[in-house]
Amino acid sequence: MNKDEKRQLRRQRLMQDKVYQAMNGLTRYMDRYYLDAIIGLVPGWGDVVALLSVVPFVYFSARVIKSVPLTLAVLNNGLRDVLLGLIPFFVGDVIDFFHRSNTKNMAMVQGFVDGDESIVKEVNRRAWQSAVVLVVLLLLIVLAVWLLVSFGSYLYTSVASLF
């Protein structure tokens, strides 16, 4: 069995996976039928549903394909969709009609499975971008916790000095 036949067998096996089928369904309903944008009109719920729709992509890329860069790229794309959906005054809802993260995630997964070099290069670029963003967010969380503790300590000292 040569390399192309092995790749074809792997591709067929991955495409028959139930999670892969779920990702196809999510892509169809959330992006092609604009369900993501319609649910986004309900404050808060659209962003929760958008975040939940990323879960099968993350699972498939992490557990089935076992690719850290693909998993990070899928997370980056999904979190970007949630962030864009959070923009107030219906701007985020309008963006949801045009930013189809599930379609982009499906294209990345499919390209990665097929060994498309341009997709693999894009996945690696997005993975680095995600890693940097996650580090920055962790640093911001640490800073926020430090500020809260400092402010709480200041308040406690101020109140204690009154008595």
Side-chain angles (χ1 to χ4, degrees):
M1 186 178 293
N2 66 22
K3 191 175 181 179
D4 277 345
E5 289 172 344
K6 285 182 183 179
R7 178 175 277 163
Q8 280 296 90
L9 283 174
R10 181 175 186 246
R11 183 174 187 263
Q12 287 174 354
R13 182 179 52 83
L14 290 174
M15 290 178 73
Q16 292 173 353
D17 191 286
K18 289 183 182 187
V19 178
Y20 185 88
Q21 300 298 323
M23 291 181 333
N24 263 333
L26 273 171
T27 300
R28 182 175 45 254
Y29 289 109
M30 295 296 282
D31 289 348
R32 292 185 191 133
Y33 299 144
Y34 302 104
L35 192 58
D36 184 21
I38 293 168
I39 293 172
L41 294 172
V42 180
W45 284 103
D47 304 318
V48 170
V49 171
L51 191 57
L52 289 176
S53 70
V54 176
V55 171
F57 291 97
V58 171
Y59 175 83
F60 192 79
S61 60
R63 302 291 285 167
V64 178
I65 296 178
K66 297 179 174 131
S67 169
V68 172
L70 181 61
T71 304
L72 287 173
V74 164
L75 274 172
N76 181 5
N77 204 25
L79 292 174
R80 184 178 299 171
D81 184 47
V82 171
L83 181 65
L84 290 172
L86 288 172
I87 298 173
F89 306 114
F90 294 107
V91 173
D93 300 323
V94 171
I95 291 172
D96 272 341
F97 275 99
F98 302 105
H99 184 265
R100 298 178 179 175
S101 68
N102 293 315
T103 301
K104 291 175 183 178
N105 283 340
M106 197 67 202
M108 283 192 297
V109 167
Q110 191 65 48
F112 203 86
V113 167
D114 291 342
D116 184 339
E117 289 183 29
S118 64
I119 297 287
V120 171
K121 188 175 181 179
E122 176 71 15
V123 163
N124 289 330
R125 186 185 65 77
R126 285 186 181 229
W128 278 106
Q129 189 180 63
S130 294
V132 169
V133 168
L134 288 174
V135 168
V136 169
L137 286 175
L138 287 174
L139 290 174
L140 288 174
I141 290 169
V142 168
L143 177 64
V145 168
W146 178 78
L147 287 172
L148 284 172
V149 169
S150 297
F151 184 68
S153 176
Y154 170 76
L155 280 179
Y156 177 76
T157 306
S158 298
V159 171
S161 68
L162 292 175
F163 299 106

